[in-house]
Amino acid sequence: MRIYLDHNATTPVDPAVVEAMDDALRNCFGNPSSVHAYGQTAKAALDDGRAAVADLVNGQPSEILFTGSGTEADNLALRGLAAAVQPGTKNHLIATTIEHEAVLNTLKALNRAGWTTSLLPVDETGTVDPVSLEQAITDKTALVSVMHANNEIGTIQPISELATIAHQHGALFHTDAVQTAGKHPIDVVALGVDLLAISAHKFNGPKGVGALWVRRGTRLVSEMTGGGQEKNRRAGTENVPAIVGLGVAAKLAKKNVAYQTSATGKLRDALEAEILSAVPNTFVNGSSNRVTNTTNISFTGVEAESLLIALDLAGIAVSTGSACSSGTLEPSHVLKAMGLSTHRAQNSIRFSLGLNNTNADIARTVQTLPTLVDKLRALSNTGS
Ligand code: PLP
């Protein structure tokens, strides 16, 4: 039996989601913009999905826009808001050094298009200090974007405090909540944000569908030109079966979040504690205020890619904190931003748990790891 500990990359699709999508594909083929009964059936399916997503984040159904991914939701938040700003007024955007590429690369593109951009630093736990936002923000800042929880280390940011500062300076606030949906409660009212992005495949829904919650009254220009779908903010016929799947996944996520924070959290804590005690020279990266499914651990003297492959051969799927880009092992930008040395950043493995993990999964992982780490350390000591 293989063990899957890479739920921050993606999650298995829940059987109830598969069933609902199958039914929608077969029986709900109408175009939701059509006036006839076929269209209205599809429209009703969209409405159901919208209500479920709104309920997951404590927003209103009319504030939910469906997108083709979490990446697209982030793009729509940043680009759509930038496009809505009156030329000659605000010209500044702020994010953090540890954002997902969906935000970081969008910010870079907006910078090339003439926007001034700033990236807030994080401390050694991966947390943004609100004081750094106070220092960076000006009356020219249009938007501040800070992720709710980080995908590599799980650290949760002080979003409501940061959003308050943004608002005090007349800026809007976006949060990428792709890694919190289903793992941690989300309440747009308590968070005090203006925009919030989620992605279905991170909480047992299908890939290729996401949503952006946009506070009522927030001006946003569609990045896609075409029809008037999604209140003129996202042109293109909606992907009805995927949205049906997103809706069912959102209902399950709301129901399962307590289990994720308690039972999955206990498994994660056990995994982390047992690795730290069974394998010498290991360190946890991140804050104690983390999503409860994630632990990112550095194994001194071990090339993380080699450990990932060795674990995969042993039937255990994890991921590294580093991305492999164009043939060179680039250390993770998140771990680097936290001040980790290149070595420690390249020694890091992310274990991210999900609803189906069991005590037996943790026991086998803890049993397997020490021998693999010993072997890899011995190899690197002999220089082979
Ligand atoms: N934001 C974060 C924090 C993520 O972890 C991811 C996916 O890894 C995304 C955005 C992108 O979501 P999607 O895969 O739906 O494009």
Side-chain angles (χ1 to χ4, degrees), residues 55-378:
D55 192 41
L56 178 67
V57 302
N58 194 28
Q60 297 301 318
S62 60
E63 296 171 317
I64 302 295
L65 302 181
F66 293 122
T67 63
S69 60
T71 299
E72 192 195 325
D74 282 332
N75 267 263
L76 182 56
L78 270 68
R79 292 174 189 268
L81 194 115
V85 169
Q86 288 281 334
T89 57
K90 298 191 179 243
N91 65 357
H92 182 217
L93 304 167
I94 299 178
T96 79
T97 46
I98 61 163
E99 296 300 308
H100 188 271
E101 287 76 4
V103 168
L104 278 182
N105 288 337
T106 304
L107 209 69
K108 277 187 198 158
L110 288 165
N111 180 253
R112 286 193 295 274
W115 285 82
T116 306
T117 55
S118 309
L119 293 179
L120 304 178
V122 293
D123 65 14
E124 67 286 356
T125 71
T127 310
V128 177
D129 182 348
V131 172
S132 70
L133 177 56
E134 290 277 14
Q135 287 163 351
I137 200 163
T138 73
D139 60 358
K140 293 279 189 192
T141 307
L143 180 73
V144 178
S145 183
V146 179
M147 67 202 316
H148 195 187
N150 180 267
N151 43 308
E152 292 187 26
I153 51 170
T155 296
I156 297 172
Q157 301 298 339
I159 296 297
S160 61
E161 218 177 316
L162 295 166
T164 303
I165 296 169
H167 292 154
Q168 281 164 352
H169 291 81
L172 294 178
F173 196 94
H174 168 61
T175 191
D176 172 341
V178 167
Q179 290 292 345
T180 35
K183 299 172 190 159
H184 187 79
I186 299 179
D187 180 339
V188 289
V189 179
L191 289 172
V193 297
D194 302 292
L195 304 119
L196 180 142
I198 61 166
S199 173
H201 75 100
K202 306 289 185 178
F203 54 95
N204 307 99
K207 289 164 190 62
V209 61
L212 182 66
W213 171 83
V214 186
R215 180 185 295 285
R216 216 170 104 201
T218 308
R219 287 203 59 223
L220 203 67
V221 173
S222 175
E223 280 308 292
M224 201 86 78
T225 42
Q229 291 90 350
E230 299 295 295
K231 294 198 180 139
N232 288 318
R233 286 155 154 197
R234 204 274 187 173
T237 302
E238 295 87 348
N239 185 349
V240 178
I243 291 167
V244 166
L246 165 62
V248 174
K251 285 182 199 165
L252 292 171
K254 172 119 196 223
K255 195 173 86 179
N256 290 331
V257 74
Y259 182 89
Q260 287 268 45
T261 51
S262 58
T264 308
K266 279 201 190 102
L267 289 181
R268 189 279 310 269
D269 289 348
L271 175 71
E272 188 174 286
E274 288 178 37
I275 291 175
L276 293 186
S277 86
V279 187
N281 295 318
T282 43
F283 308 92
V284 175
N285 303 311
S287 144
S288 53
N289 186 22
R290 271 179 285 155
V291 278
T292 52
N293 78 318
T294 305
T295 182
N296 184 306
I297 300 180
S298 291
F299 297 82
T300 307
V302 176
E303 182 68 72
E305 291 292 326
S306 308
L307 184 53
L308 181 151
I309 292 164
L311 280 166
D312 190 38
L313 289 172
I316 301 169
V318 297
S319 90
T320 58
S322 57
C324 192
S325 59
S326 52
T328 52
L329 276 181
E330 283 294 325
S332 142
H333 72 280
V334 174
L335 299 179
K336 291 287 280 179
M338 289 160 62
L340 265 65
S341 68
T342 302
H343 262 306
R344 188 164 149 188
Q346 284 175 330
N347 295 157
S348 303
I349 292 280
R350 176 184 72 187
F351 302 84
S352 52
L353 281 61
L355 290 168
N356 296 331
N357 287 128
T358 60
N359 281 315
D361 295 344
I362 302 309
R364 198 171 111 204
T365 305
V366 175
Q367 201 180 25
T368 311
L369 251 178
T371 323
L372 298 180
V373 172
D374 279 353
K375 269 192 201 153
L376 292 170
R377 280 181 177 158

